[in-house]
Amino acid sequence: MPLRLLICCCLLCALPVQALTIAMVLWRGETDAERGFRDELNRLGHHPTFVTFNANQDRTVLATLLRQQLLPSLADYDYIYCFGTTATAMVKSLVGNRKPLIFSIVSDPVGAGFLSDDKTENQMVAGTSNMVPMALQLANARRYLPAGKGMLLPFNPREQNTLLTGELLLREARRYQWELTTWRIAPDKRRLASELKRLQHDAKESIVFLAADSYLLSIAPELLAALNEAGIPTICSAELYVEHGCTVGTISSYRALGQMAANIIHRNLQGTPLQDIPLQTDPAPRLVLGKQLAEIAPSTADH
């Protein structure tokens, strides 16, 4: 190798790799998704700097953080990572296409307006969805829960994802003679005790389907305690419910989805445009059973 070329190669190798800086916009603090995201980026050798903006489930707090802290320093970030529909919607509205946006744990990114069916419109956005096919969720649940009961879907009017869940659930529940009723819950923790008593009464002859709704997840301990106390079976669609005793659920791994979000950035840095990276979902959602079912074989569920 000529000496001049050798010197140039050595100089190039000596140059430091440009460090990444990622803004992490969180709706309810750090979850397994963020831990998986961070660990995977480090494993892939990127070792980015993370700056966290935590809304603590408060839209006003999030709006203030974005306007007063994120936007003035937007140029400092290489990517913006967002957890959930609410945070992603606010970031998308304020930032637009000025920075690459990587969302995670969004049930319906197309319906929410984050992704387009026309991939040429997705040049600055990509992400992951925690949605598990409703047919799989109910088929698994039916192995343990009786047909012919009512099904009740608590409905937070502020949560766009619940509307999608209701549409999907309505079609699939008919297969098992589960007649669906939506049940509006006031997303106000000051009214939580009275709302849970009302739920216990209204759902006493039903199976309750708990969607991955931000408010419902925030009250998961109280919600599951009330339903379990009343002996009301539940079908759950998010990991957090599992910790508090849901009856049965088929769920995506938040950690795996966070790792997938990290790999989106890795692929983009290697030259793959974001618009060419399809929506990522958990290829192997897992069936989980509550304590009340853990020792019951599927064949005995109808008895």
Side-chain angles (χ1 to χ4, degrees), residues 180-198:
L180 181 66
T181 301
T182 56
W183 189 88
R184 181 168 177 151
I185 185 170
D188 183 347
K189 291 188 178 181
R190 294 170 297 182
R191 298 172 55 183
L192 180 57
S194 62
E195 288 290 87
L196 292 180
K197 287 182 180 179
R198 186 168 67 91

Side-chain angles (χ1 to χ4, degrees), residues 211-226:
D213 173 295
S214 295
Y215 177 68
L216 296 182
L217 287 165
S218 75
I219 60 169
E222 300 91 341
L223 178 60
L224 269 302

